[in-house]
Amino acid sequence: MIEFVRNVRLWFAPEHIREEGGTPDYRFSLANERTFLAWLRTALALIGGGFAVDQFLPDLRWGWRVGLALALLGAGVLCSLRALNHWVRCERAMRRGEDLPASRFPTLLSLVIAVVAVAMVVVVLVGWAG
């Protein structure tokens, strides 16, 4: 837990990451940043999908519409926070010469998206208004 709190502090003061270890090859830092940006694009797509479900499917039952929209919006929020935390953890690991951190988040995100996709298949097969 203490490590997580330290990582959260580094979200707002990334210059303090430089105080740890040595400077890694800049290509690795730039690759880490590209990965961060890819996760942010995924988060934006999920958030956009949540708003699209809510705004463009008015004939869908309220419970389905809100449930699917909230699942997508929540996944987008978690994805953006995970991107930042993972960027910090990877940057610190590279500076320390450690293995890059493993994460279960991709599995969690995949499962959430799969559940939403199955729910959308059910909505399409059963009909919009149920």
Side-chain angles (χ1 to χ4, degrees):
M1 183 65 172
I2 293 172
E3 189 70 19
F4 177 74
V5 171
R6 178 161 164 63
N7 285 341
V8 170
R9 281 192 214 146
L10 290 173
W11 294 1
F12 302 101
E15 65 276 3
H16 292 298
I17 294 174
R18 293 184 183 143
E19 296 170 2
E20 296 187 37
T23 303
D25 185 333
Y26 72 91
R27 293 173 292 182
F28 299 124
S29 290
L30 292 174
N32 190 28
E33 185 176 335
R34 285 191 301 274
T35 302
F36 168 73
L37 294 172
W39 279 103
L40 286 184
R41 285 190 299 271
T42 302
L44 287 171
L46 290 165
I47 292 167
F51 278 116
V53 165
D54 185 53
Q55 294 298 309
F56 298 118
L57 300 176
D59 295 335
L60 191 60
R61 288 170 117 181
W62 183 86
W64 277 101
R65 191 177 80 237
V66 170
L68 294 172
L70 287 177
L72 290 169
L73 291 168
V77 168
L78 289 175
C79 191
S80 65
L81 292 174
R82 186 267 184 199
L84 184 55
N85 192 51
H86 192 69
W87 175 82
V88 167
R89 290 173 58 212
C90 286
E91 197 66 30
R92 289 179 73 203
M94 287 188 297
R95 295 184 82 63
R96 294 174 175 173
E98 299 172 353
D99 289 338
L100 294 179
S103 176
R104 291 184 184 101
F105 185 78
T107 302
L108 175 67
L109 182 62
S110 297
L111 291 173
V112 168
I113 292 172
V115 167
V116 170
V118 167
M120 290 301 294
V121 167
V122 169
V123 167
V124 168
L125 292 176
V126 173
W128 292 62

